[in-house]
Amino acid sequence: MSTTLSLSDLKSLSDDLSSEIGKTIVGLDNHVKILTLSLLTGGHVLLDGLPGTAKTSLAVSFSQSLGLDTNRIQSTPDMMPGDITGTRIYNPKTLEFDFHAGPIFANIVVVDEINRAPPRSQAALLEAMQENQVTVDGDTSYLDKPFMVIATKNPLEYEGTFPLSPTQLDRFMFKLNLDYPNSDDAISILKSKSSSEVTTSIISKDTILNAQNLIMNNISVDDDVSTFISKVVKLTRNTQGVILGASPTASVSLLNAARGYAAVINGKDSVTVDDVKAVAFDVLNHRL
C-alpha cells in the first residue's frame, strides 16, 4: 500500500488487517478494528478475559501483521522494573556502566498477564505509555514511533496477582472484554486448528506513521462533539454509586478514539456524536 493515504485507504487498511488476522483468530473482527484504530491514534489496549479466550493469541497475531519491531513481556510475581525498562551493567573493559535496553524498546510491546507483575514493575510502564520515553538512573531515552502497549489481563484474581492501579488503567485507551465464543465460532476454531495458516506482515511502518498523521491532522471535531464528551465524562463523576469517575485523560482518550472510529471505521473526515457513543463503553469501562 502506498504511504500517501486517503480516508478510503484507512478503511481498507483496517479491513486488510481483519482479513489477515482472521486466518488464525476466529470471531474477533471488532476487536481487531479497535486495536487498529487505537494504534493509529496513539493508544494502548488492555485485553481482559478468562483463560483460553485468545487474548494473547490476538495480541501476538495483531503484532505479527505489522511491519514493526515487537517484543513480548511475560509478567511474573518476581519481575523487577529493570526487566521491563532495561538496566545499567558494569563493563570492566571501559570501567563504566553500559545501558542494556529492556523489552519496552519496541514499536509493539505485548505484556502478557500484566496483573501478575508486582506494582513496582507495573509502574515501570507508566512513563513509557504516557510520554513515549524511559528514564533509568536519571538518563532518559526516547522510544521509537509508533509505540503501543497491548496488555492481557485475567479478570479472576488468583494467588500471585496484583490489581492494576487507577493510574495504570488510565494509561489504556481501551479495555476490550473477551468472552467464550458462540457455537459457530467454536466450531470454526476447531477447524482452523487443522490449518497451517500463519499471520504475515502486511502493513509497513511508513504506512502506519502516515495514517497516524492523517487522522491527527485531517479529522475535524465540532464544538458540539467536544461538549458532548465533556458532559459524558462529567456525568461519570456525579453518578451515585461511582466512587471514581473518568479523568481528564479519559476525555482525551474518548476524543481520540472517536476520531479514529470516524476515520478508520466510517471513512469520514469529521467526528459525530454517534462516533463517540460507538467507542464510549470500551474507553470508559475500566476507568470507573
Side-chain angles (χ1 to χ4, degrees):
M1 181 180 291
S2 171
T3 55
T4 302
L5 301 177
S6 65
L7 285 174
S8 61
D9 291 327
L10 295 182
K11 192 174 186 307
S12 296
L13 184 152
S14 176
D15 292 340
D16 290 344
L17 285 175
S18 294
S19 177
E20 180 64 27
I21 295 169
K23 294 178 181 178
T24 54
I25 303 295
V26 175
L28 296 177
D29 285 352
N30 288 335
H31 292 71
V32 173
K33 291 183 183 300
I34 295 297
L35 282 165
T36 302
L37 71 89
S38 183
L39 170 67
L40 299 184
T41 54
H44 310 288
V45 177
L46 179 62
L47 302 176
D48 194 315
L50 294 169
T53 50
K55 301 183 299 296
T56 304
S57 296
L58 174 61
V60 171
S61 183
F62 180 76
S63 64
Q64 289 175 341
S65 69
L66 307 170
L68 301 173
D69 291 332
T70 302
N71 283 331
R72 177 173 170 178
I73 300 171
Q74 184 63 55
S75 303
T76 58
D78 61 348
M79 176 180 284
M80 300 294 290
D83 295 330
I84 295 175
T85 60
T87 188
R88 293 190 176 279
I89 299 177
Y90 182 71
N91 186 337
K93 293 183 178 180
T94 62
L95 304 181
E96 295 179 346
F97 285 88
D98 297 332
F99 178 64
H100 291 250
I104 195 66
F105 287 87
N107 298 120
I108 304 289
V109 180
V110 177
V111 184
D112 202 17
E113 296 187 293
I114 187 174
N115 55 331
R116 289 196 178 278
R120 283 186 63 199
S121 297
Q122 290 181 22
L125 295 165
L126 296 178
E127 181 183 12
M129 294 175 70
Q130 182 70 25
E131 303 171 53
N132 279 35
Q133 65 182 38
V134 173
T135 301
V136 176
D137 294 338
D139 291 332
T140 298
S141 301
Y142 295 95
L143 300 173
D144 188 31
K145 293 181 180 180
F147 174 69
M148 180 184 187
V149 171
I150 307 174
T152 70
K153 174 182 175 294
N154 190 321
L156 301 179
E157 302 296 341
Y158 293 114
E159 183 178 355
T161 62
F162 305 87
L164 303 184
S165 69
T167 303
Q168 179 68 76
L169 289 170
D170 208 29
R171 292 293 198 271
F172 290 99
M173 176 180 284
F174 293 101
K175 180 174 81 105
L176 302 181
N177 301 307
L178 284 79
D179 203 348
Y180 292 126
N182 59 38
S183 297
D184 291 339
D185 286 342
I187 294 172
S188 297
I189 290 170
L190 294 176
K191 291 180 178 180
S192 71
K193 294 309 175 183
S194 62
S195 169
S196 59
E197 291 280 7
V198 294
T199 305
T200 58
S201 171
I202 61 169
I203 306 295
S204 71
K205 180 178 180 178
D206 284 344
T207 297
I208 294 168
L209 291 173
N210 276 275
Q212 287 183 335
N213 290 331
L214 177 64
I215 293 173
M216 180 59 63
N217 298 321
N218 295 277
I219 309 302
S220 62
V221 181
D222 292 337
D223 290 343
D224 62 329
V225 174
S226 297
T227 300
F228 179 75
I229 291 174
S230 178
K231 288 181 178 179
V232 169
V233 171
K234 184 177 181 180
L235 184 62
T236 67
R237 303 169 190 158
N238 298 328
T239 299
Q240 186 176 3
V242 177
I243 298 174
L244 181 65
S247 69
T249 299
S251 300
V252 176
S253 291
L254 189 53
L255 173 62
N256 288 334
R259 182 184 278 122
Y261 192 89
V264 177
I265 305 302
N266 292 327
K268 301 182 303 183
D269 62 359
S270 62
V271 179
T272 66
V273 168
D274 286 339
D275 295 322
V276 178
K277 292 178 180 179
V279 297
F281 178 82
D282 291 331
V283 171
L284 298 177
N285 75 104
H286 57 298
R287 304 176 193 265
L288 308 185

